[in-house]
Amino acid sequence: ATAHVPATELFEAIATEAQPRLGQFNSQDLSNTAWAFATAGVPAKELFESIAAEAQPRLGKFKPRALAISAWAFATAHVPATELFEAIAAEAQRRLSKFKPQDMATT
């Protein structure tokens, strides 16, 4: 994503393959996938919506860094995910003492 080489077709193929398999992704896989697409600036609204649906009920298993990365990725991608943001905020607030300074700044 930081190679500064457009790879839209690759990201589209990844989105197509990943979306039906998101249930197999762990919390870091979900946040890293959202981060990669947001960083690359590749629009993938359906993928982000699927990631949100998969991540939200599992936020309690996300490490603070994964919560922060997820919030950043959705905001950066301009994907409206009000319920996910509210759930991330609630989960982060419960565990704020475990957040490193970088995680707090990113969230």
Side-chain angles (χ1 to χ4, degrees):
T2 58
H4 304 292
V5 176
T8 306
E9 289 180 18
L10 172 61
F11 276 93
E12 288 173 357
I14 291 170
T16 299
E17 275 299 313
Q19 195 162 346
R21 296 168 41 184
L22 291 175
Q24 299 169 20
F25 284 34
N26 64 31
S27 59
Q28 185 173 349
D29 297 333
L30 292 169
S31 64
N32 286 351
T33 301
W35 174 87
F37 277 81
T39 300
V42 176
K45 185 179 180 204
E46 289 181 17
L47 177 64
F48 273 92
E49 289 172 349
S50 295
I51 290 172
E54 192 62 46
Q56 190 169 338
R58 295 200 264 160
L59 291 176
K61 296 179 181 179
F62 278 49
K63 292 182 180 177
R65 184 83 178 131
L67 287 172
I69 288 171
S70 297
W72 178 89
F74 275 81
T76 300
H78 304 289
V79 176
T82 304
E83 290 181 23
L84 178 65
F85 279 113
E86 289 173 355
I88 288 173
E91 189 63 37
Q93 192 169 359
R94 277 192 286 279
R95 297 192 280 149
L96 206 50
S97 65
K98 296 177 183 177
F99 277 50
K100 295 178 181 175
Q102 183 179 6
D103 301 332
M104 283 189 253
T106 306
T107 307

XYZ file of all heavy atoms in Angstrom:
812
model
N 0.810 -1.192 0.000
C 0.000 0.000 0.000
C 0.853 1.254 0.000
O 0.382 2.302 -0.367
C -0.929 0.008 1.206
N 2.090 1.151 0.408
C 2.941 2.326 0.428
C 3.958 2.318 -0.707
O 4.896 3.088 -0.707
C 3.685 2.446 1.772
O 4.451 1.254 1.965
C 2.715 2.660 2.910
N 3.793 1.466 -1.685
C 4.732 1.375 -2.801
C 4.500 2.470 -3.829
O 5.282 2.623 -4.750
C 4.626 0.011 -3.472
N 3.423 3.227 -3.671
C 3.077 4.305 -4.603
C 2.884 3.779 -6.020
O 3.177 4.467 -6.983
C 4.106 5.435 -4.558
C 4.276 5.997 -3.179
N 3.288 6.717 -2.546
C 5.301 5.906 -2.299
C 3.708 7.060 -1.347
N 4.919 6.579 -1.167
N 2.448 2.546 -6.124
C 2.149 1.930 -7.406
C 0.676 1.532 -7.362
O 0.277 0.748 -6.508
C 3.020 0.674 -7.654
C 2.632 -0.008 -8.944
C 4.499 1.034 -7.638
N -0.140 2.091 -8.266
C -1.554 1.711 -8.231
C -1.716 0.220 -8.540
O -1.113 -0.292 -9.469
C -2.194 2.574 -9.323
C -1.078 3.140 -10.124
C 0.181 3.004 -9.332
N -2.482 -0.424 -7.726
C -2.713 -1.857 -7.899
C -4.196 -2.133 -7.715
O -4.584 -3.046 -6.988
C -1.866 -2.639 -6.908
N -5.002 -1.339 -8.374
C -6.447 -1.428 -8.197
C -6.974 -2.824 -8.488
O -7.793 -3.352 -7.730
C -7.150 -0.388 -9.087
O -6.592 0.898 -8.791
C -8.635 -0.354 -8.819
N -6.502 -3.437 -9.568
C -6.982 -4.778 -9.912
C -6.636 -5.781 -8.828
O -7.443 -6.664 -8.511
C -6.405 -5.218 -11.253
C -6.991 -4.461 -12.430
C -6.411 -4.910 -13.764
O -5.814 -6.010 -13.834
O -6.565 -4.157 -14.731
N -5.451 -5.675 -8.263
C -5.055 -6.573 -7.187
C -5.968 -6.384 -5.980
O -6.466 -7.364 -5.411
C -3.596 -6.332 -6.789
C -3.115 -7.085 -5.540
C -3.220 -8.598 -5.749
C -1.692 -6.670 -5.198
N -6.206 -5.136 -5.587
C -7.074 -4.880 -4.441
C -8.501 -5.348 -4.698
O -9.162 -5.876 -3.801
C -7.037 -3.399 -4.050
C -5.878 -3.059 -3.165
C -4.693 -2.603 -3.706
C -5.969 -3.211 -1.792
C -3.610 -2.287 -2.897
C -4.898 -2.894 -0.963
C -3.710 -2.436 -1.522
N -8.985 -5.177 -5.919
C -10.330 -5.670 -6.257
C -10.390 -7.187 -6.128
O -11.370 -7.745 -5.621
C -10.717 -5.222 -7.659
C -11.017 -3.733 -7.741
C -11.231 -3.241 -9.169
O -11.087 -4.034 -10.134
O -11.538 -2.042 -9.326
N -9.336 -7.868 -6.579
C -9.297 -9.337 -6.467
C -9.240 -9.769 -5.008
O -9.910 -10.729 -4.606
C -8.097 -9.891 -7.240
N -8.447 -9.056 -4.211
C -8.362 -9.373 -2.784
C -9.714 -9.169 -2.115
O -10.165 -10.007 -1.325
C -7.267 -8.530 -2.097
C -5.885 -8.969 -2.591
C -7.370 -8.634 -0.575
C -4.758 -8.050 -2.169
N -10.385 -8.063 -2.438
C -11.704 -7.798 -1.857
C -12.683 -8.907 -2.196
O -13.439 -9.376 -1.335
C -12.229 -6.448 -2.327
N -12.668 -9.335 -3.444
C -13.581 -10.391 -3.890
C -13.319 -11.698 -3.157
O -14.252 -12.391 -2.750
C -13.442 -10.601 -5.416
O -13.786 -9.379 -6.071
C -14.339 -11.717 -5.912
N -12.050 -12.034 -2.978
C -11.693 -13.278 -2.289
C -11.915 -13.176 -0.783
O -12.348 -14.143 -0.155
C -10.224 -13.627 -2.549
C -9.974 -14.375 -3.820
C -10.682 -15.726 -3.884
O -10.620 -16.514 -2.915
O -11.313 -15.976 -4.920
N -11.595 -12.033 -0.203
C -11.649 -11.884 1.252
C -13.066 -11.807 1.793
O -13.366 -12.372 2.849
C -10.864 -10.648 1.680
N -13.924 -11.108 1.083
C -15.251 -10.821 1.622
C -15.996 -12.064 2.104
O -16.469 -12.081 3.245
C -16.077 -10.041 0.602
C -17.293 -9.410 1.220
C -17.860 -8.313 0.356
O -17.240 -7.835 -0.581
N -19.066 -7.909 0.688
N -16.102 -13.136 1.319
C -16.842 -14.297 1.833
C -16.089 -15.079 2.908
O -16.668 -15.948 3.560
C -17.068 -15.156 0.585
C -16.006 -14.753 -0.370
C -15.704 -13.310 -0.073
N -14.823 -14.757 3.122
C -14.012 -15.499 4.090
C -13.710 -14.708 5.356
O -12.944 -15.158 6.207
C -12.708 -15.929 3.413
C -12.968 -16.901 2.281
C -11.806 -17.168 1.369
N -10.529 -17.303 2.019
C -9.389 -17.474 1.351
N -9.389 -17.526 0.041
N -8.252 -17.576 2.005
N -14.311 -13.544 5.518
C -14.012 -12.695 6.674
C -14.290 -13.386 8.008
O -13.651 -13.071 9.003
C -14.782 -11.379 6.593
C -14.338 -10.423 5.484
C -15.266 -9.208 5.433
C -12.896 -9.992 5.670
N -15.196 -14.324 8.023
C -15.485 -15.076 9.242
C -14.295 -15.875 9.726
O -14.211 -16.233 10.900
N -13.355 -16.154 8.836
C -12.144 -16.899 9.184
C -11.021 -15.966 9.646
O -10.000 -16.426 10.141
C -11.657 -17.697 7.980
C -12.645 -18.723 7.478
C -12.222 -19.293 6.127
O -11.075 -19.215 5.733
N -13.185 -19.865 5.427
N -11.193 -14.666 9.476
C -10.167 -13.696 9.841
C -10.186 -13.467 11.346
O -11.251 -13.400 11.955
C -10.431 -12.351 9.154
C -10.082 -12.298 7.684
C -10.232 -13.388 6.856
C -9.615 -11.118 7.137
C -9.919 -13.312 5.506
C -9.299 -11.031 5.794
C -9.448 -12.137 4.971
N -9.003 -13.313 11.934
C -8.961 -12.913 13.340
C -9.034 -11.386 13.409
O -9.085 -10.710 12.372
C -7.717 -13.478 14.051
C -6.403 -12.946 13.512
O -6.310 -11.811 13.051
N -5.364 -13.767 13.570
N -9.022 -10.841 14.605
C -9.192 -9.396 14.756
C -8.089 -8.610 14.054
O -8.356 -7.584 13.419
C -9.266 -9.014 16.232
O -8.093 -9.423 16.911
N -6.871 -9.085 14.137
C -5.778 -8.383 13.468
C -5.924 -8.459 11.948
O -5.662 -7.480 11.250
C -4.425 -8.941 13.897
C -3.268 -8.139 13.317
C -1.928 -8.569 13.864
O -1.844 -9.331 14.824
N -0.867 -8.076 13.255
N -6.366 -9.603 11.437
C -6.600 -9.727 9.993
C -7.646 -8.721 9.520
O -7.486 -8.089 8.474
C -7.081 -11.139 9.624
C -6.081 -12.235 9.913
O -4.863 -11.970 9.914
O -6.531 -13.380 10.150
N -8.718 -8.572 10.282
C -9.781 -7.631 9.911
C -9.258 -6.199 9.910
O -9.473 -5.458 8.949
C -10.968 -7.763 10.873
C -11.751 -9.070 10.789
C -12.721 -9.183 11.968
C -12.496 -9.186 9.468
N -8.565 -5.813 10.978
C -8.070 -4.435 11.043
C -6.984 -4.184 10.002
O -6.951 -3.113 9.379
C -7.581 -4.085 12.449
O -6.470 -4.872 12.821
N -6.120 -5.155 9.753
C -5.070 -4.978 8.748
C -5.643 -4.871 7.339
O -5.129 -4.104 6.514
C -4.063 -6.126 8.798
C -3.141 -6.053 9.989
O -3.113 -5.074 10.722
N -2.389 -7.114 10.203
N -6.690 -5.616 7.060
C -7.323 -5.539 5.739
C -7.929 -4.157 5.534
O -7.728 -3.528 4.487
C -8.391 -6.639 5.584
O -7.766 -7.919 5.761
C -9.042 -6.581 4.218
N -8.651 -3.669 6.534
C -9.229 -2.327 6.433
C -8.121 -1.285 6.280
O -8.220 -0.369 5.456
C -10.085 -2.029 7.664
N -7.042 -1.439 7.050
C -5.918 -0.504 6.976
C -5.301 -0.491 5.575
O -5.030 0.572 5.023
C -4.852 -0.885 8.011
C -3.619 -0.055 7.898
C -3.385 1.155 8.493
C -2.452 -0.345 7.115
N -2.140 1.623 8.130
C -1.547 0.725 7.287
C -2.081 -1.403 6.294
C -0.304 0.760 6.667
C -0.845 -1.374 5.667
C 0.029 -0.292 5.858
N -5.094 -1.669 4.995
C -4.460 -1.753 3.673
C -5.292 -1.036 2.613
O -4.762 -0.272 1.810
C -4.238 -3.210 3.287
N -6.586 -1.272 2.622
C -7.456 -0.629 1.631
C -7.528 0.880 1.860
O -7.494 1.658 0.910
C -8.847 -1.259 1.643
C -8.918 -2.515 0.814
C -8.480 -3.724 1.317
C -9.413 -2.483 -0.477
C -8.522 -4.880 0.557
C -9.463 -3.629 -1.259
C -9.015 -4.840 -0.738
N -7.611 1.302 3.121
C -7.667 2.740 3.412
C -6.363 3.425 3.025
O -6.372 4.498 2.426
C -7.960 2.961 4.898
N -5.249 2.802 3.335
C -3.943 3.373 3.024
C -3.733 3.480 1.517
O -3.184 4.470 1.026
C -2.817 2.529 3.653
O -3.011 2.504 5.068
C -1.450 3.114 3.368
N -4.190 2.476 0.792
C -4.032 2.471 -0.666
C -5.034 3.407 -1.342
O -4.869 3.734 -2.517
C -4.199 1.051 -1.207
N -6.055 3.816 -0.617
C -7.067 4.697 -1.194
C -7.944 4.001 -2.215
O -8.489 4.635 -3.115
N -8.080 2.696 -2.057
C -8.899 1.909 -2.973
C -10.320 1.837 -2.424
O -10.527 1.331 -1.322
C -8.323 0.486 -3.158
C -9.222 -0.360 -4.037
C -6.917 0.546 -3.722
N -11.303 2.339 -3.171
C -12.676 2.260 -2.672
C -13.160 0.811 -2.639
O -12.989 0.076 -3.607
C -13.479 3.095 -3.675
C -12.606 3.292 -4.854
C -11.193 2.981 -4.458
N -13.708 0.429 -1.507
C -14.199 -0.941 -1.348
C -15.321 -0.921 -0.312
O -15.238 -1.574 0.729
C -13.071 -1.866 -0.929
N -16.366 -0.161 -0.607
C -17.453 0.047 0.353
C -18.050 -1.265 0.843
O -18.261 -1.451 2.042
C -18.532 0.928 -0.272
C -19.629 1.293 0.698
C -20.667 2.189 0.080
C -21.716 2.487 1.140
N -22.981 2.849 0.612
N -18.318 -2.193 -0.079
C -18.923 -3.471 0.332
C -18.001 -4.256 1.254
O -18.450 -4.861 2.225
C -19.293 -4.302 -0.892
C -20.471 -3.755 -1.661
C -20.837 -4.619 -2.859
O -20.416 -5.790 -2.925
O -21.553 -4.115 -3.732
N -16.711 -4.251 0.958
C -15.755 -4.947 1.821
C -15.737 -4.303 3.205
O -15.789 -5.002 4.218
C -14.354 -4.942 1.213
C -13.262 -5.577 2.082
C -13.524 -7.064 2.298
C -11.887 -5.363 1.458
N -15.680 -2.974 3.262
C -15.673 -2.283 4.548
C -16.960 -2.571 5.328
O -16.917 -2.777 6.547
C -15.486 -0.777 4.367
C -14.041 -0.364 4.305
C -13.386 -0.273 3.089
C -13.343 -0.073 5.458
C -12.054 0.116 3.028
C -12.009 0.314 5.417
C -11.361 0.404 4.193
N -18.085 -2.592 4.647
C -19.347 -2.906 5.332
C -19.309 -4.323 5.901
O -19.775 -4.566 7.017
C -20.520 -2.736 4.369
C -20.795 -1.279 4.034
C -21.827 -1.101 2.918
O -22.193 -2.100 2.254
O -22.253 0.054 2.709
N -18.743 -5.247 5.144
C -18.631 -6.633 5.625
C -17.654 -6.739 6.786
O -17.893 -7.495 7.738
C -18.202 -7.561 4.480
O -19.195 -7.607 3.487
N -16.554 -6.013 6.705
C -15.592 -6.007 7.821
C -16.264 -5.449 9.067
O -16.124 -6.002 10.162
C -14.324 -5.203 7.457
C -13.504 -5.946 6.393
C -13.479 -4.939 8.712
C -12.341 -5.145 5.835
N -17.015 -4.370 8.925
C -17.714 -3.777 10.073
C -18.672 -4.783 10.702
O -18.708 -4.936 11.930
C -18.463 -2.522 9.645
N -19.430 -5.465 9.872
C -20.399 -6.444 10.384
C -19.704 -7.598 11.089
O -20.201 -8.110 12.095
C -21.265 -6.961 9.237
N -18.565 -7.992 10.583
C -17.823 -9.103 11.177
C -17.086 -8.666 12.441
O -17.001 -9.416 13.409
C -16.821 -9.652 10.157
C -16.189 -10.951 10.527
C -17.163 -12.100 10.668
O -18.035 -12.279 9.793
O -17.065 -12.836 11.679
N -16.560 -7.454 12.429
C -15.742 -6.981 13.550
C -16.565 -6.586 14.765
O -16.168 -6.866 15.908
C -14.895 -5.791 13.094
N -17.681 -5.935 14.538
C -18.421 -5.349 15.653
C -18.730 -6.325 16.785
O -18.447 -6.021 17.937
C -19.698 -4.679 15.152
C -20.360 -3.847 16.227
C -21.464 -2.969 15.679
O -21.488 -2.658 14.493
N -22.373 -2.589 16.542
N -19.249 -7.517 16.510
C -19.534 -8.412 17.638
C -18.276 -9.003 18.285
O -18.354 -9.597 19.345
C -20.397 -9.514 17.018
C -20.169 -9.444 15.559
C -19.739 -8.046 15.247
N -17.123 -8.805 17.652
C -15.882 -9.380 18.184
C -14.932 -8.334 18.751
O -13.787 -8.640 19.059
C -15.156 -10.136 17.065
C -15.919 -11.333 16.561
C -14.998 -12.274 15.846
N -15.012 -12.064 14.404
C -14.041 -12.474 13.597
N -12.975 -13.072 14.064
N -14.143 -12.289 12.298
N -15.359 -7.093 18.905
C -14.464 -6.033 19.349
C -13.824 -6.318 20.701
O -12.719 -5.849 20.979
C -15.189 -4.683 19.379
C -15.557 -4.110 18.014
C -16.345 -2.817 18.181
C -14.319 -3.882 17.151
N -14.479 -7.087 21.538
C -13.910 -7.449 22.844
C -12.636 -8.260 22.722
O -11.834 -8.314 23.648
N -12.426 -8.891 21.579
C -11.217 -9.687 21.346
C -10.121 -8.887 20.638
O -9.018 -9.382 20.472
C -11.562 -10.929 20.516
C -12.497 -11.882 21.231
C -12.820 -13.071 20.378
C -13.792 -13.988 21.119
N -14.163 -15.147 20.316
N -10.433 -7.677 20.208
C -9.447 -6.848 19.524
C -8.457 -6.285 20.532
O -8.848 -5.806 21.596
C -10.127 -5.665 18.814
C -10.707 -5.978 17.471
C -11.528 -7.079 17.256
C -10.463 -5.137 16.399
C -12.068 -7.343 16.020
C -11.007 -5.389 15.146
C -11.805 -6.504 14.952
N -7.182 -6.321 20.196
C -6.173 -5.652 21.012
C -6.357 -4.148 20.803
O -6.911 -3.716 19.787
C -4.776 -6.090 20.583
C -4.494 -7.538 20.914
C -3.093 -7.926 20.520
C -2.852 -9.387 20.872
N -1.528 -9.848 20.444
N -5.882 -3.337 21.757
C -6.030 -1.890 21.607
C -5.531 -1.374 20.251
O -6.180 -0.540 19.626
C -5.208 -1.322 22.765
C -5.330 -2.366 23.822
C -5.276 -3.673 23.059
N -4.411 -1.890 19.785
C -3.859 -1.447 18.495
C -4.824 -1.751 17.355
O -5.015 -0.939 16.454
C -2.511 -2.132 18.253
C -1.828 -1.667 17.015
C -1.076 -0.386 17.314
N -0.375 0.043 16.137
C -0.421 1.266 15.657
N -1.106 2.186 16.284
N 0.231 1.590 14.589
N -5.460 -2.922 17.364
C -6.409 -3.291 16.311
C -7.651 -2.407 16.358
O -8.202 -2.053 15.315
C -6.784 -4.764 16.418
N -8.094 -2.031 17.553
C -9.223 -1.098 17.674
C -8.855 0.237 17.042
O -9.628 0.809 16.273
C -9.604 -0.882 19.143
C -10.317 -2.014 19.860
C -10.438 -1.699 21.348
C -11.687 -2.273 19.254
N -7.665 0.724 17.379
C -7.211 2.014 16.864
C -7.069 1.985 15.350
O -7.515 2.899 14.648
C -5.884 2.397 17.518
N -6.453 0.940 14.832
C -6.251 0.822 13.383
C -7.594 0.739 12.670
O -7.779 1.347 11.611
C -5.368 -0.398 13.059
C -3.925 -0.118 13.472
C -5.442 -0.757 11.580
C -3.017 -1.326 13.408
N -8.528 0.009 13.235
C -9.845 -0.126 12.605
C -10.555 1.220 12.529
O -11.100 1.584 11.479
C -10.700 -1.138 13.370
O -10.113 -2.418 13.313
N -10.541 1.949 13.640
C -11.183 3.264 13.639
C -10.531 4.179 12.611
O -11.216 4.856 11.836
C -11.101 3.886 15.035
N -9.200 4.187 12.586
C -8.465 5.025 11.634
C -8.809 4.638 10.198
O -9.059 5.493 9.356
C -6.954 4.898 11.869
C -6.166 5.694 10.887
C -5.778 6.996 11.014
C -5.709 5.262 9.598
N -5.102 7.388 9.886
C -5.044 6.345 9.002
C -5.795 4.064 8.894
C -4.463 6.276 7.732
C -5.227 3.987 7.631
C -4.571 5.085 7.066
N -8.825 3.337 9.902
C -9.068 2.871 8.531
C -10.451 3.269 8.038
O -10.594 3.768 6.912
C -8.889 1.355 8.453
N -11.460 3.084 8.860
C -12.817 3.439 8.434
C -12.957 4.949 8.251
O -13.594 5.401 7.303
C -13.858 2.895 9.421
C -14.244 1.472 9.132
C -13.445 0.415 9.547
C -15.400 1.183 8.422
C -13.782 -0.893 9.265
C -15.756 -0.127 8.136
C -14.937 -1.170 8.560
N -12.356 5.713 9.136
C -12.419 7.171 9.004
C -11.673 7.628 7.754
O -12.161 8.472 6.998
C -11.834 7.836 10.244
N -10.510 7.066 7.512
C -9.699 7.436 6.356
C -10.377 7.057 5.048
O -10.299 7.792 4.059
C -8.308 6.769 6.447
O -7.680 7.235 7.652
C -7.436 7.111 5.258
N -11.056 5.923 5.046
C -11.744 5.452 3.840
C -13.084 6.160 3.625
O -13.739 5.945 2.606
C -11.959 3.938 3.910
N -13.492 6.992 4.586
C -14.763 7.718 4.497
C -15.945 6.766 4.323
O -16.863 7.026 3.550
C -14.745 8.749 3.366
C -13.627 9.722 3.472
N -13.593 10.708 4.434
C -12.480 9.839 2.751
C -12.474 11.408 4.288
N -11.774 10.898 3.295
N -15.893 5.677 5.070
C -16.991 4.707 5.052
C -17.866 4.979 6.264
O -17.401 4.877 7.400
C -16.456 3.257 5.093
C -17.599 2.262 5.173
C -15.582 2.974 3.876
N -19.127 5.345 6.039
C -20.007 5.589 7.192
C -20.290 4.282 7.937
O -20.804 3.332 7.352
C -21.274 6.171 6.567
C -21.238 5.773 5.131
C -19.807 5.526 4.767
N -19.891 4.239 9.175
C -20.084 3.038 9.987
C -20.360 3.479 11.420
O -19.596 3.171 12.337
C -18.857 2.148 9.894
N -21.461 4.197 11.593
C -21.790 4.792 12.885
C -21.835 3.758 14.006
O -21.250 3.975 15.077
C -23.132 5.543 12.794
O -23.040 6.504 11.744
C -23.454 6.245 14.096
N -22.491 2.641 13.759
C -22.603 1.624 14.811
C -21.238 1.064 15.188
O -20.962 0.828 16.359
C -23.544 0.503 14.366
C -24.994 0.917 14.300
C -25.904 -0.222 13.869
O -25.530 -1.401 14.036
O -26.996 0.068 13.364
N -20.385 0.852 14.182
C -19.042 0.346 14.469
C -18.251 1.372 15.266
O -17.608 1.026 16.258
C -18.306 -0.008 13.177
C -16.861 -0.492 13.368
C -16.827 -1.818 14.130
C -16.158 -0.625 12.028
N -18.287 2.656 14.869
C -17.557 3.685 15.602
C -18.038 3.783 17.043
O -17.229 3.926 17.966
C -17.688 5.050 14.911
C -16.749 5.214 13.752
C -17.235 5.311 12.464
C -15.379 5.280 13.949
C -16.376 5.461 11.391
C -14.512 5.434 12.881
C -15.013 5.525 11.591
N -19.342 3.700 17.256
C -19.875 3.753 18.617
C -19.405 2.559 19.432
O -19.044 2.696 20.609
C -21.401 3.831 18.582
C -21.913 5.171 18.085
C -23.427 5.207 17.875
O -24.099 4.161 18.026
O -23.937 6.296 17.552
N -19.395 1.381 18.805
C -18.946 0.168 19.502
C -17.450 0.234 19.805
O -17.010 -0.168 20.886
C -19.280 -1.067 18.671
N -16.651 0.738 18.850
C -15.211 0.898 19.088
C -14.987 1.887 20.230
O -14.161 1.648 21.120
C -14.474 1.347 17.808
C -14.409 0.198 16.799
C -13.061 1.834 18.143
C -13.849 0.588 15.431
N -15.719 2.997 20.218
C -15.572 4.002 21.275
C -15.899 3.408 22.643
O -15.167 3.632 23.617
C -16.461 5.204 20.985
N -16.967 2.643 22.716
C -17.357 2.035 23.997
C -16.307 1.031 24.460
O -15.928 1.014 25.642
C -18.729 1.362 23.858
N -15.817 0.218 23.548
C -14.805 -0.786 23.892
C -13.495 -0.113 24.281
O -12.847 -0.514 25.254
C -14.584 -1.743 22.719
C -13.711 -2.932 23.047
C -14.289 -3.844 24.115
O -15.521 -4.036 24.153
O -13.499 -4.384 24.916
N -13.107 0.900 23.537
C -11.862 1.616 23.853
C -11.960 2.273 25.226
O -11.006 2.233 26.011
C -11.574 2.656 22.775
N -13.092 2.868 25.519
C -13.261 3.537 26.812
C -13.141 2.539 27.964
O -12.538 2.847 28.988
C -14.612 4.243 26.858
C -14.737 5.180 28.027
C -15.964 6.065 27.915
O -16.721 6.003 26.946
N -16.165 6.900 28.907
N -13.667 1.338 27.776
C -13.573 0.314 28.821
C -12.121 -0.092 29.087
O -11.768 -0.466 30.197
C -14.372 -0.938 28.428
C -15.835 -0.863 28.711
C -16.509 -2.226 28.575
N -16.656 -2.655 27.191
C -17.625 -2.262 26.364
N -18.535 -1.414 26.804
N -17.694 -2.706 25.142
N -11.296 -0.055 28.022
C -9.926 -0.569 28.152
C -8.855 0.491 27.937
O -7.707 0.168 27.665
C -9.725 -1.698 27.137
C -10.628 -2.874 27.400
C -10.237 -4.065 26.594
N -10.729 -3.964 25.226
C -10.117 -4.491 24.179
N -8.992 -5.138 24.309
N -10.643 -4.384 22.971
N -9.188 1.740 28.105
C -8.265 2.833 27.812
C -6.953 2.729 28.595
O -5.900 3.101 28.088
C -8.948 4.174 28.089
C -8.440 5.370 27.329
C -8.347 5.113 25.831
C -9.332 6.566 27.586
N -6.994 2.187 29.775
C -5.771 2.064 30.573
C -4.759 1.118 29.937
O -3.570 1.169 30.253
C -6.099 1.597 31.993
O -6.638 0.282 31.960
N -5.207 0.263 29.015
C -4.310 -0.680 28.339
C -3.765 -0.128 27.028
O -2.932 -0.763 26.389
C -5.039 -2.003 28.090
C -5.442 -2.705 29.371
C -6.210 -3.962 29.091
C -6.659 -4.588 30.405
N -7.467 -5.770 30.204
N -4.243 1.034 26.618
C -3.804 1.635 25.370
C -2.441 2.281 25.540
O -2.181 2.964 26.522
C -4.795 2.705 24.902
C -5.972 2.182 24.154
C -6.735 1.143 24.639
C -6.336 2.755 22.947
C -7.833 0.670 23.949
C -7.434 2.291 22.241
C -8.181 1.245 22.744
N -1.572 2.084 24.561
C -0.310 2.799 24.491
C -0.610 4.187 23.953
O -1.647 4.395 23.298
C 0.673 2.062 23.587
C 1.082 0.707 24.128
C 2.015 0.009 23.181
C 2.379 -1.359 23.762
N 3.181 -2.152 22.846
N 0.275 5.158 24.181
C 0.022 6.512 23.683
C -0.310 6.545 22.181
O -1.223 7.264 21.776
C 1.323 7.255 23.987
C 1.854 6.564 25.202
C 1.503 5.110 24.988
N 0.396 5.771 21.367
C 0.133 5.767 19.925
C -1.287 5.269 19.637
O -1.964 5.794 18.752
C 1.147 4.912 19.191
C 0.934 4.938 17.673
C 1.960 4.092 16.947
O 2.759 3.395 17.539
N 1.920 4.159 15.630
N -1.753 4.274 20.374
C -3.101 3.752 20.181
C -4.139 4.809 20.528
O -5.134 4.970 19.824
C -3.334 2.495 21.029
C -2.354 1.379 20.711
O -1.878 1.330 19.548
O -2.075 0.568 21.609
N -3.910 5.553 21.612
C -4.842 6.607 22.002
C -4.875 7.695 20.939
O -5.944 8.191 20.583
C -4.440 7.223 23.342
C -4.796 6.366 24.523
S -4.543 7.260 26.052
C -3.084 6.444 26.641
N -3.732 8.050 20.421
C -3.673 9.105 19.408
C -4.324 8.674 18.101
O -4.958 9.483 17.423
C -2.216 9.497 19.142
N -4.207 7.414 17.757
C -4.761 6.902 16.503
C -6.269 6.743 16.583
O -6.975 6.964 15.605
C -4.123 5.554 16.134
O -2.705 5.705 16.123
C -4.572 5.090 14.770
N -6.772 6.336 17.753
C -8.191 6.108 17.906
C -8.935 7.410 17.889
O -9.943 7.574 17.362
C -8.499 5.360 19.224
O -7.705 4.185 19.273
C -9.948 4.973 19.329
